[in-house]
Amino acid sequence: MTQSDYGRSGVPGSVAGHRMSRRSLLRGAAVGAGAVTLPALLTACGSGPGGDGKTITMGSNSSDPIPKKAFAEAFAAYEAQSDGRKVKVNTVDHNTFQENINRYLQGKPDDVFMWFAGNRMQFFAKKGLLHEISDNWQDYKGFSAALKAQSTGADGKQYLTPYYYYPWAVFHRKSLFADRGYQAPKTLDEYVALAKQMQKDKLDPIAFCDKDGWPAMGTFDYIDMRTNGYEFHKSLMAGEVAWTDKRVREVFDTWRRLLPYCQQGANGRTWQEAANSLQKREAGMAVFGLPHPGAQFPKDEQSDIDFFPFPVINPEHGQDAVEAPIDGFLLAKKSKNLKNKKTLESAKDLLKWLATGKAEDIYLKSDPNNIAVSDQADISAYSPSRRRPWIWSPGRSRSPSSWTATPGRTSPPRS
Amino acid sequence: MIPAIQKFISNPNDVDGLVNDIERQKKTIFAAD
């Protein structure tokens, strides 16, 4: 996901350490204390140019009900502990936000916006559309070196405050597998054999969707990483390898082999509909990120969600790489309000608060389908499946994602 | 990238056309930097 070499560390070292205790945190009270640098007159300008210095506008792509509510709770908690600062959220439909991000950041963006770490962030940093927050990072505690690398632009400066991440895997229902005697496949051949059996059992073996434009990319990334390895995938995403390379053709040939076992009509199906078919036992498996099935299963069925790592294709590469995008917060350079130093200080103060374990805890309490990035966050409430070694262990590779590389609908992948 | 993948999903037989299409798009964008 990034040009910076964050090594082969698959998950943030911060969480890989399995820290179960929460430290007592020092936050909030001290930050922003020196922020009042503008004449008091400006604070009376209300919503005029530069804003009122205390209101921070937030561009949110979290339009789905669960994350939307969870963010609202986190921002309310921030407001409660801040000295009169307000977060004004501007929520845009998730896919619309993604597709318009380029125009948004070059037009009239909010002060803070939600986006992704790694290459997707670096793309905009390079274009000069982000505010550097290296000073914030000097005070951040609880983030691993890998996370810092993911939040750093090609110029070595920090631009992103990470909030949570979510591994991708092959999801299924525990009870369905138990009832039918299915075993989680380890290799591609076993995956295909299981899919064939599911077809015999009148199931759609693999729930499949791409109406949203991004869900199928997860499958592409995994087939590439399992076939050609993490380093190759990174080079492909960086534009260093031609898509016409025979190794890329091999990826599509393998994918073609899987398509007969995927739900037909995927281009007309949303991720919610695909996840629903898994929930209704119409489909047997689905390649998703942790939040996706989680959002579509009722509460009393959450514990039936299970998953296994995408199967081995080339034993040389095993199952080393884990696709695990990191979401976070950034400051938009073109925000007019941020030209007011006081508003800029307020926005940075919000980011400092969001960088704490407590802020992550508040969010994850309402949206437990993600994993905290801070080692100050309380992970004791995680279900056992979320503590599996292949998700947590260092030594795994975090993937540069093909869709993470697409700032807009028509853009090709980049590093 | 996204339309190319969607096209592949509905017609997976033209891998040649697909990879050439994506490579062409990539060159355009990288050249625009």
Side-chain angles (χ1 to χ4, degrees):
Chain A
M1 284 172 82
T2 175
Q3 287 172 345
S4 324
D5 187 5
Y6 47 90
R8 305 279 301 175
S9 154
V11 293
S14 51
V15 286
H18 298 259
R19 298 181 66 100
M20 301 296 286
S21 63
R22 187 194 296 176
R23 293 181 203 157
S24 75
L25 302 173
L26 290 170
R27 67 181 157 277
V31 285
V36 190
T37 54
L38 285 184
L41 186 64
L42 258 184
T43 62
C45 290
S47 58
D52 61 8
K54 290 225 166 194
T55 304
I56 307 143
T57 62
M58 167 74 67
S60 167
N61 58 359
S62 288
S63 53
D64 293 309
I66 294 174
K68 192 176 176 180
K69 180 171 174 279
F71 277 118
E73 280 163 14
F75 300 147
Y78 168 75
E79 289 175 347
Q81 61 80 59
S82 81
D83 186 18
R85 289 184 168 120
K86 296 272 171 222
V87 182
K88 194 176 157 198
V89 183
N90 169 27
T91 305
V92 176
D93 164 70
H94 185 82
N95 293 337
T96 309
F97 191 92
Q98 316 295 91
E99 288 159 20
N100 289 309
I101 185 72
N102 238 325
R103 247 168 296 159
Y104 168 74
L105 290 179
Q106 297 188 54
K108 292 177 181 167
D110 297 290
D111 309 335
V112 186
F113 69 102
M114 298 176 187
W115 196 240
F116 311 89
N119 55 341
R120 286 183 287 189
M121 174 275 291
Q122 292 184 328
F123 176 79
F124 295 117
K126 203 174 161 193
K127 284 189 155 196
L129 295 170
L130 306 177
H131 253 291
E132 178 196 349
I133 53 160
S134 304
D135 50 347
N136 264 31
W137 267 89
Q138 287 178 359
D139 298 329
Y140 286 176
K141 293 181 173 59
F143 293 148
S144 66
L147 271 166
K148 189 170 184 180
Q150 291 280 292
S151 308
T152 301
D155 57 4
K157 298 170 178 171
Q158 282 75 50
Y159 293 94
L160 177 127
T161 299
Y163 203 46
Y164 58 67
Y165 78 100
Y166 41 101
W168 279 59
V170 186
F171 286 82
H172 62 90
R173 260 188 182 277
K174 241 183 249 174
S175 59
L176 183 80
F177 269 46
D179 294 349
R180 310 272 182 134
Y182 299 151
Q183 297 289 324
K186 178 90 178 158
T187 64
L188 185 72
D189 287 343
E190 289 171 12
Y191 190 43
V192 171
L194 175 59
K196 280 187 176 154
Q197 184 58 48
M198 286 181 175
Q199 255 176 354
K200 278 185 199 158
D201 296 340
K202 310 284 179 214
L203 291 166
D204 271 328
I206 303 167
F208 197 43
C209 56
D210 205 31
K211 189 174 179 179
D212 307 285
W214 50 263
M217 301 297 193
T219 300
F220 173 83
D221 291 338
Y222 265 130
I223 298 176
D224 190 32
M225 290 190 293
R226 298 292 189 253
T227 306
N228 298 312
Y230 170 71
E231 292 302 328
F232 177 85
H233 187 60
K234 214 163 74 167
S235 301
L236 182 66
M237 294 303 114
E240 294 158 6
V241 177
W243 281 77
T244 47
D245 191 287
K246 69 174 186 353
R247 290 167 289 184
V248 182
R249 290 169 197 263
E250 200 184 330
V251 172
F252 285 110
D253 284 339
T254 301
W255 200 353
R256 210 150 53 136
R257 192 180 151 202
L258 293 174
L259 283 177
Y261 308 107
C262 295
Q263 258 174 341
Q264 299 304 296
N267 290 333
R269 188 176 298 108
T270 63
W271 69 265
Q272 290 94 337
E273 290 166 334
N276 273 335
S277 58
L278 197 68
Q279 188 267 328
K280 288 183 196 152
R281 296 184 166 82
E282 292 165 1
M285 304 178 276
V287 178
F288 269 137
L290 197 51
H292 306 129
Q296 299 302 311
F297 275 59
K299 238 183 191 166
D300 59 346
E301 294 179 17
Q302 291 282 329
S303 60
D304 202 32
I305 302 174
D306 207 352
F307 54 92
F308 54 84
F310 198 89
V312 175
I313 296 177
N314 178 351
E316 190 193 323
H317 302 299
Q319 290 171 312
D320 277 356
V322 177
E323 179 93 14
I326 304 163
D327 289 5
F329 299 94
L330 305 96
L331 301 185
K333 188 88 180 177
K334 293 219 166 177
S335 151
K336 282 208 174 114
N337 294 342
L338 293 184
K339 296 194 191 323
N340 177 343
K341 278 186 186 168
K342 216 172 161 193
T343 311
L344 181 60
E345 284 303 326
S346 290
K348 285 187 172 178
D349 179 64
L350 169 65
L351 296 186
K352 282 180 188 172
W353 185 82
L354 288 165
T356 61
K358 187 191 175 189
E360 292 183 10
D361 288 344
I362 293 167
Y363 178 89
L364 293 169
K365 199 176 167 201
S366 292
D367 183 8
N369 299 309
N370 289 292
I371 294 177
V373 285
S374 171
D375 73 0
Q376 297 177 334
D378 178 9
I379 64 166
S380 60
Y382 286 3
S383 64
S385 65
R386 267 155 224 180
R387 292 188 203 158
R388 284 179 192 167
W390 69 269
I391 291 180
W392 299 96
S393 317
R396 307 270 167 179
S397 303
R398 192 186 285 288
S399 152
S401 313
S402 49
W403 83 88
T404 63
T406 54
R409 196 174 259 282
T410 53
S411 305
R414 65 178 53 248
S415 65
Chain B
M1 177 76 187
I2 289 170
I5 295 292
Q6 286 172 331
K7 201 170 156 194
F8 167 75
I9 290 168
S10 57
N11 174 23
N13 295 321
D14 186 17
V15 171
D16 233 31
L18 170 74
V19 293
N20 277 297
D21 182 21
I22 299 176
E23 181 63 16
R24 217 167 21 241
Q25 285 184 51
K26 182 190 90 178
K27 283 182 177 156
T28 311
I29 293 287
F30 273 59
D33 272 353

